[in-house]
Amino acid sequence: MSTINSQRQALQAALFPGGIPRLWCPTLTHFQAAHMPDPTRIQAHLTALAPQVKGILVPGSTGEGWEMGDDDIHRLLGIVLDAAAVAGIRVLIGVLKTSVEELLACLESLEPLRTHPAVAGVTICPPKGSELSQEALRAGLAQVLARGWPTALYQLPQVTQNELAPETVAALTAEFANVILFKDTSGADRVAQSGLDFGGVFLVRGAEKGGYVPWPRTGGGPYDGFLLSTANVFAPELAELLRLLDSGEQAAAEALSQTLETVVSAAFALVAEFPHGNAFANANKVLDHCRAYGDDALKVEPPLLYGGARLPQSFIVEGIALLKAHGLLPTQGYLRG
């Protein structure tokens, strides 16, 4: 084992004494007013996630992090980190910036949080630009990685307009021991399926399309785990799917996967034309509201988005029907327990 790889292994063990979680979640941000997180609702959601989800990304696309200003992000982190520490959840802070200069400035502002007991590191995307070469992407990320933060690299071509080649990821992981995790939301899965050696970096899939069963290593796939927006809603089911694959119960895993795929696809289609927010946040907020309140979901105002828009009540009606049709709507949700 190379020195870099052994250093990475030691860092991963120090950050995750019980092993790196296999199920991660880019958590929703619940709001009480435009730009104002709701601490009570956020804490309740984290408590509900904690039995199955031991690692979260805050803020991610699903948490509306790309829309938030820096002050809003720091306010949110002040709520989430303390609640996560109590719940036993590790946090990767999403540094969602589109240039190297912005990434470096954001890391500097986050320095006081580096030693917080819940913080496992940061998550960064490549600098934005379809015209950037692989060498430019590597050089830009190298500047950020040189700051020494434990880091998850985030493949998000939907936003960055580019994609890290497997060789670029391999070069970065061979140079920087602080690359501990790689998340791919592209749906193309080129890095994980390349067969290259990434020196023990933990690979998680963030794409919802393509099902769930084929991707974990215990299902014959190339990934160590999931980092999924729908873990906000279906953490128990996704954890059960991993358990089924671990125990070789392939048919049961495939049946569960098919149910989740059907519901998730319908939920994303439901919000596709809504002009505010993004589909990851909106679909999961609809389903989370239904699972949080159960039969009382229509008695509570629908969720707010970062900018102050409220999701339509009709989405909640359809969300309830969708979950009921697949036996996934609790009579009493986690906020009514």
Side-chain angles (χ1 to χ4, degrees):
M1 180 183 295
S2 73
T3 301
I4 291 290
N5 291 356
S6 61
Q7 290 173 348
R8 175 179 298 112
Q9 189 176 73
L11 177 59
Q12 290 170 327
L15 293 169
F16 306 99
I20 301 178
R22 293 167 67 197
L23 182 59
W24 289 74
C25 177
T27 47
L28 293 165
T29 304
H30 300 89
F31 294 99
Q32 56 187 333
H35 299 199
M36 291 298 295
D38 184 337
T40 302
R41 184 71 175 83
I42 288 170
Q43 289 165 5
H45 185 227
L46 287 179
T47 299
L49 291 177
Q52 291 87 26
V53 174
K54 299 301 183 185
I56 59 176
L57 166 60
V58 182
S61 303
T62 307
E64 300 168 81
W66 287 105
E67 294 97 88
M68 290 184 187
D70 288 348
D71 289 345
D72 298 322
I73 290 173
H74 280 270
R75 186 182 301 116
L76 175 63
L77 289 171
I79 295 167
V80 171
L81 292 180
D82 290 345
V86 171
I89 296 173
R90 303 292 280 154
V91 180
L92 286 168
I93 299 174
V95 182
L96 305 184
K97 303 296 181 182
T98 57
S99 72
V100 172
E101 294 73 23
E102 290 174 313
L103 283 165
L104 293 172
C106 189
L107 284 185
E108 188 68 29
S109 74
L110 293 172
E111 197 63 34
L113 299 177
R114 193 164 180 166
T115 57
H116 191 288
V119 172
V122 295
T123 299
I124 62 172
C125 292
K128 184 177 180 178
S130 59
E131 76 288 354
L132 295 176
S133 67
Q134 290 297 309
E135 177 52 31
L137 295 177
R138 189 209 62 77
L141 288 172
Q143 289 184 61
V144 182
L145 290 167
R147 294 297 175 94
W149 277 80
T151 301
L153 296 179
Y154 187 178
Q155 184 94 290
L156 187 63
Q158 301 94 319
V159 171
T160 64
Q161 301 173 1
N162 54 51
E163 191 170 333
L164 293 170
E167 294 78 11
T168 304
V169 177
L172 288 167
T173 60
E175 184 177 358
F176 294 99
N178 53 313
V179 180
I180 57 172
L181 187 144
F182 177 83
K183 177 192 178 184
D184 195 334
T185 306
S186 67
D189 306 292
R190 293 185 182 92
V191 171
Q193 296 192 112
S194 69
L196 296 182
D197 180 8
F198 303 110
V201 168
F202 197 84
L203 305 180
V204 292
R205 190 172 199 258
E208 300 284 349
K209 69 179 182 180
Y212 304 102
V213 165
W215 301 108
R217 295 195 190 279
T218 50
Y223 285 98
D224 300 298
F226 289 125
L227 202 165
L228 294 170
S229 69
T230 50
N232 280 288
V233 181
F234 298 123
E237 288 79 9
L238 290 165
E240 173 64 6
L241 187 145
L242 288 171
R243 187 199 67 78
L244 290 169
L245 289 176
D246 289 347
S247 60
E249 299 177 66
Q250 187 78 13
E254 289 177 355
L256 177 54
S257 179
Q258 183 58 57
T259 297
L260 294 178
E261 289 174 61
T262 300
V263 173
V264 169
S265 176
F268 275 79
L270 172 64
V271 304
E273 302 303 319
F274 193 65
H276 306 284
N278 68 77
F280 292 103
N282 296 349
N284 282 287
K285 282 195 169 185
V286 169
L287 297 177
D288 171 67
H289 183 88
C290 297
R291 297 259 287 198
Y293 294 103
D295 284 345
D296 292 335
L298 290 173
K299 300 177 183 177
V300 182
E301 282 192 305
L304 283 170
L305 304 181
Y306 169 72
R310 192 176 293 277
L311 294 172
Q313 186 82 325
S314 61
F315 285 3
I316 306 303
V317 172
E318 294 193 47
I320 289 171
L322 178 62
L323 290 170
K324 273 189 174 178
H326 296 276
L328 293 171
L329 183 74
T331 300
Q332 184 168 274
Y334 67 79
L335 284 179
R336 292 292 191 247

